[in-house]
Amino acid sequence: MNTEVYIAIIGDIKDSRKLSDRGKVQEQLKQCLDQINDTFDSEIASAFIITLGDEFQGLLKKEDHVMDMIDRIVCDMAPVRIRFGVGMGRITTQINPEMSIGADGPAYHKAREAIEQLKQNEHKNRKYTPNIRIGTEGHENIAEMLNSILSLVDLTEKRRSERQKEIIKTFYEHQESQKACAVELGIAQSSVQRALMAGNYYACRDARTTVTKMMKELMVGNV
């Protein structure tokens, strides 16, 4: 039996039927996923691809840049909102490296369960619902801990002002260079620093790093 652990990611566009130009959004998403596939080729077991009109998925063999991939998709697709189900577990069928269609196993099952849980929470009209949820084959208690961390991060990010979001997005796109961000936006570097602090950027980054480290432990079976 294959015991290797993979990470399946399923993304789903929120309120896609309300979009005024779904064709344009899908083309934007395709370009975004193509760039993810190129940038992170060495970590991808099966390339990201649009599977349904409003959904896409990919399969990873490494955890190093899971959060980075999700962040890039979120940034590139904004203001379109996307929910993500992340599943960790085995793949019990053959894997096509060119496209993540046809493969099956607990990794995909857990990612699908995570997506459905997010949808259920939204339908219950909860005041706050995060856009990322992790499911694991085993270690459910650890998955819940990771989801709690991600929920707090997501809530913190949602509370940022539009100006803070703009500055942080530009800062991220310039490899976390305050100087380059300031030049791009035509503002003082001190303004960038204040926005990062007010938006709790570094606290959120550290929390995501902790999530990645825990995922690595799950990948190698040390927990």
Side-chain angles (χ1 to χ4, degrees):
M1 182 177 69
N2 182 14
T3 59
E4 188 172 358
V5 178
Y6 291 87
I7 300 173
I9 298 178
I10 298 177
D12 179 52
I13 297 176
K14 293 184 179 183
D15 300 322
S16 59
R17 294 181 181 179
K18 297 180 181 179
L19 297 174
S20 58
D21 192 342
R22 294 178 67 180
K24 182 178 180 181
V25 170
Q26 286 189 6
E27 180 57 33
Q28 181 182 353
L29 177 60
K30 181 181 182 303
Q31 293 178 5
C32 173
L33 297 179
D34 287 345
Q35 187 173 19
I36 293 291
N37 290 331
D38 289 341
T39 303
F40 301 101
D41 177 68
S42 64
E43 301 178 29
I44 295 176
S46 189
F48 282 89
I49 188 171
I50 298 175
T51 54
L52 299 172
D54 308 324
E55 282 193 1
F56 59 91
Q57 66 185 42
L59 187 68
L60 311 181
K61 54 189 174 183
K62 293 183 179 180
E63 78 295 327
D64 294 349
H65 294 96
V66 175
M67 295 296 112
D68 288 334
M69 293 181 199
I70 290 175
D71 283 345
R72 289 196 183 199
I73 294 171
V74 169
C75 287
D76 289 349
M77 295 304 297
V80 175
R81 299 178 302 154
I82 301 176
R83 61 175 74 87
F84 296 87
V86 180
M88 300 185 66
R90 294 168 297 129
I91 295 297
T92 56
T93 61
Q94 290 187 339
I95 297 173
N96 181 353
E98 299 301 323
M99 61 178 64
S100 56
I101 294 180
D104 195 17
Y108 277 116
H109 300 167
K110 290 298 180 180
R112 174 58 61 189
E113 288 175 8
I115 279 281
E116 294 304 320
Q117 184 63 56
L118 290 176
K119 290 181 179 179
Q120 289 178 21
N121 291 344
E122 292 166 9
H123 290 159
K124 291 176 182 177
N125 294 320
R126 292 189 176 182
K127 186 175 182 180
Y128 164 72
T129 302
N131 66 352
I132 305 174
R133 184 171 178 82
I134 294 176
T136 62
E137 182 186 7
H139 307 294
E140 286 81 3
N141 57 332
I142 295 178
E144 286 305 315
M145 180 184 69
L146 297 179
N147 286 323
S148 295
I149 294 173
L150 290 174
S151 292
L152 290 173
V153 170
D154 190 68
L155 181 59
T156 299
E157 292 175 344
K158 280 184 169 65
R159 288 177 172 174
R160 292 169 180 166
S161 68
E162 291 304 314
R163 183 55 171 168
Q164 287 170 356
K165 291 177 182 179
E166 179 187 17
I167 292 174
I168 289 173
K169 179 177 183 292
T170 305
F171 175 71
Y172 178 78
E173 291 173 345
H174 285 78
Q175 290 74 52
E176 296 189 328
S177 167
Q178 292 188 21
K179 181 177 180 180
C181 176
V183 171
E184 173 72 20
L185 296 176
I187 59 179
Q189 186 171 333
S190 59
S191 297
V192 175
Q193 186 176 23
R194 284 195 297 272
L196 295 174
M197 296 299 293
N200 293 295
Y201 175 83
Y202 292 107
C204 290
R205 185 190 64 179
D206 291 346
R208 288 173 180 267
T209 299
T210 297
V211 169
T212 301
K213 288 180 179 178
M214 289 302 300
M215 292 179 74
K216 181 178 182 63
E217 294 297 312
L218 290 171
M219 292 285 283
V220 299
N222 285 343
V223 294

